[in-house]
Amino acid sequence: MLAIALASGAFSSNAQIVVSVRPPVPHYERVPAPSPRHVWIGEEWEPRGGAYVFVGGHWAEPPRPGVVWVPGHWRRRPGGEAWVPGHWR
């Protein structure tokens, strides 16, 4: 499921929505890590239907040794802000 989510994020990375007000982060509970190798992927947003949908809050195993998760963030754009997705580096 994570691979599908990451792949769909790669294909939707060109779609950028600019918002004047950031959407609220829903409340969710962090469950214990499945293993010491897993990394917490927190706040993430995906553009869908002209709006951002919250898709974060899960554990993921790095795709290969030595990579780290770079969290997504909001970046100022003309007319508002746009979400820059997190990625492995």
Side-chain angles (χ1 to χ4, degrees):
M1 187 155 81
L2 176 61
I4 293 169
L6 291 174
S8 66
F11 293 118
S12 65
S13 62
N14 291 337
Q16 197 163 70
I17 301 166
V18 176
V19 295
S20 57
V21 177
R22 293 180 188 176
V25 177
H27 175 76
Y28 58 92
E29 299 291 327
R30 183 188 298 197
V31 297
S35 81
R37 296 180 312 275
H38 283 75
V39 174
W40 180 251
I41 308 295
E43 182 180 7
E44 281 294 315
W45 297 89
E46 185 175 292
R48 288 189 200 157
Y52 284 107
V53 177
F54 185 78
V55 293
H58 64 277
W59 291 99
E61 223 176 320
R64 62 189 176 284
V67 297
V68 296
W69 178 254
V70 178
H73 59 277
W74 291 99
R75 179 169 287 161
R76 195 89 177 116
R77 299 277 191 242
E81 295 182 88
W83 180 252
V84 178
H87 60 278
W88 294 102
R89 176 174 38 183

Short mmCIF file of all heavy atoms in Angstrom, two decimals, residues 17-26 43-47 50-55 74 81-83:
data_model
loop_
_atom_site.label_atom_id
_atom_site.label_comp_id
_atom_site.label_asym_id
_atom_site.label_seq_id
_atom_site.Cartn_x
_atom_site.Cartn_y
_atom_site.Cartn_z
N ILE A 17 -1.64 22.89 -6.16
CA ILE A 17 -2.78 23.70 -5.78
C ILE A 17 -2.28 24.76 -4.82
O ILE A 17 -1.54 24.46 -3.90
CB ILE A 17 -3.86 22.83 -5.08
CG1 ILE A 17 -4.32 21.73 -6.03
CG2 ILE A 17 -5.01 23.69 -4.62
CD1 ILE A 17 -5.11 20.65 -5.34
N VAL A 18 -2.66 25.99 -5.04
CA VAL A 18 -2.28 27.08 -4.15
C VAL A 18 -3.50 27.43 -3.32
O VAL A 18 -4.60 27.62 -3.85
CB VAL A 18 -1.79 28.31 -4.94
CG1 VAL A 18 -1.50 29.47 -4.02
CG2 VAL A 18 -0.56 27.95 -5.76
N VAL A 19 -3.31 27.46 -1.99
CA VAL A 19 -4.42 27.78 -1.08
C VAL A 19 -4.08 29.03 -0.28
O VAL A 19 -2.92 29.30 0.00
CB VAL A 19 -4.72 26.60 -0.11
CG1 VAL A 19 -5.20 25.39 -0.87
CG2 VAL A 19 -3.51 26.25 0.74
N SER A 20 -5.09 29.80 0.06
CA SER A 20 -4.84 31.00 0.86
C SER A 20 -4.86 30.66 2.35
O SER A 20 -4.28 31.38 3.15
CB SER A 20 -5.88 32.08 0.54
OG SER A 20 -7.18 31.57 0.75
N VAL A 21 -5.52 29.57 2.73
CA VAL A 21 -5.55 29.11 4.12
C VAL A 21 -5.20 27.63 4.14
O VAL A 21 -5.82 26.84 3.42
CB VAL A 21 -6.96 29.31 4.74
CG1 VAL A 21 -7.02 28.77 6.15
CG2 VAL A 21 -7.36 30.78 4.69
N ARG A 22 -4.22 27.25 4.95
CA ARG A 22 -3.84 25.86 5.05
C ARG A 22 -4.99 25.04 5.64
O ARG A 22 -5.66 25.48 6.56
CB ARG A 22 -2.65 25.68 5.98
CG ARG A 22 -1.39 26.28 5.47
CD ARG A 22 -0.28 26.04 6.48
NE ARG A 22 0.91 26.77 6.10
CZ ARG A 22 2.01 26.81 6.83
NH1 ARG A 22 2.06 26.17 7.99
NH2 ARG A 22 3.06 27.48 6.42
N PRO A 23 -5.19 23.81 5.12
CA PRO A 23 -6.23 22.97 5.71
C PRO A 23 -5.81 22.52 7.11
O PRO A 23 -4.63 22.39 7.38
CB PRO A 23 -6.32 21.79 4.75
CG PRO A 23 -5.11 21.83 3.91
CD PRO A 23 -4.55 23.21 3.97
N PRO A 24 -6.77 22.28 8.00
CA PRO A 24 -6.41 21.84 9.34
C PRO A 24 -5.90 20.39 9.33
O PRO A 24 -6.35 19.57 8.54
CB PRO A 24 -7.73 21.94 10.11
CG PRO A 24 -8.79 21.82 9.06
CD PRO A 24 -8.20 22.43 7.82
N VAL A 25 -4.95 20.10 10.21
CA VAL A 25 -4.43 18.75 10.35
C VAL A 25 -5.39 17.96 11.24
O VAL A 25 -5.66 18.36 12.36
CB VAL A 25 -3.02 18.76 11.00
CG1 VAL A 25 -2.51 17.34 11.20
CG2 VAL A 25 -2.05 19.56 10.16
N PRO A 26 -5.92 16.84 10.74
CA PRO A 26 -6.81 16.04 11.58
C PRO A 26 -6.05 15.42 12.74
O PRO A 26 -4.84 15.20 12.66
CB PRO A 26 -7.32 14.96 10.65
CG PRO A 26 -6.69 15.15 9.34
CD PRO A 26 -5.75 16.30 9.42
N GLU A 43 2.79 14.58 8.91
CA GLU A 43 1.91 15.41 8.09
C GLU A 43 2.27 15.31 6.61
O GLU A 43 3.38 15.59 6.21
CB GLU A 43 2.02 16.86 8.54
CG GLU A 43 1.11 17.79 7.79
CD GLU A 43 1.22 19.23 8.27
OE1 GLU A 43 2.10 19.53 9.09
OE2 GLU A 43 0.45 20.06 7.79
N GLU A 44 1.33 14.88 5.80
CA GLU A 44 1.47 14.83 4.34
C GLU A 44 0.12 15.18 3.73
O GLU A 44 -0.93 14.80 4.25
CB GLU A 44 1.90 13.44 3.85
CG GLU A 44 3.38 13.16 4.00
CD GLU A 44 4.26 14.03 3.12
OE1 GLU A 44 3.96 14.24 1.93
OE2 GLU A 44 5.26 14.54 3.65
N TRP A 45 0.16 15.89 2.63
CA TRP A 45 -1.05 16.32 1.93
C TRP A 45 -0.93 15.95 0.46
O TRP A 45 0.15 16.01 -0.12
CB TRP A 45 -1.22 17.84 2.06
CG TRP A 45 -1.41 18.26 3.47
CD1 TRP A 45 -0.43 18.59 4.37
CD2 TRP A 45 -2.63 18.37 4.18
NE1 TRP A 45 -0.98 18.89 5.59
CE2 TRP A 45 -2.34 18.77 5.50
CE3 TRP A 45 -3.96 18.16 3.83
CZ2 TRP A 45 -3.31 18.97 6.46
CZ3 TRP A 45 -4.94 18.37 4.80
CH2 TRP A 45 -4.61 18.77 6.08
N GLU A 46 -2.04 15.55 -0.14
CA GLU A 46 -2.06 15.16 -1.54
C GLU A 46 -3.13 15.96 -2.27
O GLU A 46 -4.25 16.08 -1.78
CB GLU A 46 -2.39 13.67 -1.62
CG GLU A 46 -2.31 13.10 -3.00
CD GLU A 46 -2.54 11.61 -2.97
OE1 GLU A 46 -1.67 10.89 -2.44
OE2 GLU A 46 -3.61 11.17 -3.46
N PRO A 47 -2.80 16.54 -3.44
CA PRO A 47 -3.82 17.27 -4.18
C PRO A 47 -4.82 16.30 -4.81
O PRO A 47 -4.44 15.36 -5.49
CB PRO A 47 -3.03 18.03 -5.25
CG PRO A 47 -1.73 17.33 -5.36
CD PRO A 47 -1.49 16.61 -4.08
N GLY A 50 -8.85 19.43 -6.76
CA GLY A 50 -8.72 20.87 -6.53
C GLY A 50 -8.54 21.27 -5.07
O GLY A 50 -8.61 22.44 -4.74
N ALA A 51 -8.31 20.29 -4.20
CA ALA A 51 -8.09 20.59 -2.77
C ALA A 51 -7.01 19.64 -2.24
O ALA A 51 -6.63 18.68 -2.91
CB ALA A 51 -9.39 20.39 -1.99
N TYR A 52 -6.53 19.92 -1.05
CA TYR A 52 -5.56 19.03 -0.41
C TYR A 52 -6.28 18.08 0.53
O TYR A 52 -7.17 18.48 1.28
CB TYR A 52 -4.52 19.84 0.38
CG TYR A 52 -3.49 20.51 -0.50
CD1 TYR A 52 -3.51 21.87 -0.70
CD2 TYR A 52 -2.49 19.76 -1.11
CE1 TYR A 52 -2.56 22.49 -1.50
CE2 TYR A 52 -1.55 20.37 -1.92
CZ TYR A 52 -1.58 21.73 -2.10
OH TYR A 52 -0.65 22.33 -2.89
N VAL A 53 -5.86 16.81 0.50
CA VAL A 53 -6.41 15.78 1.37
C VAL A 53 -5.27 15.25 2.24
O VAL A 53 -4.18 14.94 1.73
CB VAL A 53 -7.02 14.62 0.54
CG1 VAL A 53 -7.52 13.51 1.43
CG2 VAL A 53 -8.12 15.14 -0.35
N PHE A 54 -5.51 15.14 3.53
CA PHE A 54 -4.50 14.65 4.47
C PHE A 54 -4.27 13.16 4.25
O PHE A 54 -5.22 12.38 4.22
CB PHE A 54 -4.98 14.90 5.90
CG PHE A 54 -3.96 14.54 6.94
CD1 PHE A 54 -2.91 15.38 7.22
CD2 PHE A 54 -4.09 13.36 7.65
CE1 PHE A 54 -1.98 15.05 8.19
CE2 PHE A 54 -3.16 13.02 8.62
CZ PHE A 54 -2.10 13.86 8.88
N VAL A 55 -3.02 12.75 4.07
CA VAL A 55 -2.69 11.34 3.86
C VAL A 55 -1.53 10.88 4.75
O VAL A 55 -0.98 9.82 4.54
CB VAL A 55 -2.36 11.04 2.38
CG1 VAL A 55 -3.57 11.19 1.51
CG2 VAL A 55 -1.22 11.89 1.87
N TRP A 74 4.92 23.35 3.78
CA TRP A 74 4.19 24.36 3.02
C TRP A 74 5.19 25.40 2.53
O TRP A 74 6.06 25.84 3.27
CB TRP A 74 3.14 25.03 3.90
CG TRP A 74 2.03 24.09 4.24
CD1 TRP A 74 1.89 23.38 5.40
CD2 TRP A 74 0.92 23.76 3.42
NE1 TRP A 74 0.75 22.62 5.34
CE2 TRP A 74 0.13 22.83 4.14
CE3 TRP A 74 0.50 24.13 2.15
CZ2 TRP A 74 -1.04 22.28 3.63
CZ3 TRP A 74 -0.66 23.59 1.64
CH2 TRP A 74 -1.43 22.68 2.38
N GLU A 81 -0.20 29.43 -0.51
CA GLU A 81 0.80 28.43 -0.19
C GLU A 81 0.49 27.13 -0.91
O GLU A 81 -0.66 26.84 -1.20
CB GLU A 81 0.83 28.17 1.32
CG GLU A 81 1.27 29.39 2.11
CD GLU A 81 1.33 29.08 3.59
OE1 GLU A 81 2.38 28.62 4.05
OE2 GLU A 81 0.31 29.30 4.25
N ALA A 82 1.54 26.35 -1.18
CA ALA A 82 1.38 25.05 -1.82
C ALA A 82 2.19 24.03 -1.03
O ALA A 82 3.21 24.35 -0.43
CB ALA A 82 1.86 25.10 -3.27
N TRP A 83 1.73 22.80 -1.00
CA TRP A 83 2.40 21.73 -0.28
C TRP A 83 3.53 21.15 -1.11
O TRP A 83 3.35 20.81 -2.28
CB TRP A 83 1.40 20.62 0.08
CG TRP A 83 2.04 19.50 0.82
CD1 TRP A 83 2.31 18.25 0.35
CD2 TRP A 83 2.47 19.51 2.19
NE1 TRP A 83 2.90 17.50 1.33
CE2 TRP A 83 3.01 18.25 2.46
CE3 TRP A 83 2.46 20.48 3.19
CZ2 TRP A 83 3.53 17.92 3.72
CZ3 TRP A 83 2.98 20.16 4.43
CH2 TRP A 83 3.50 18.90 4.69
#
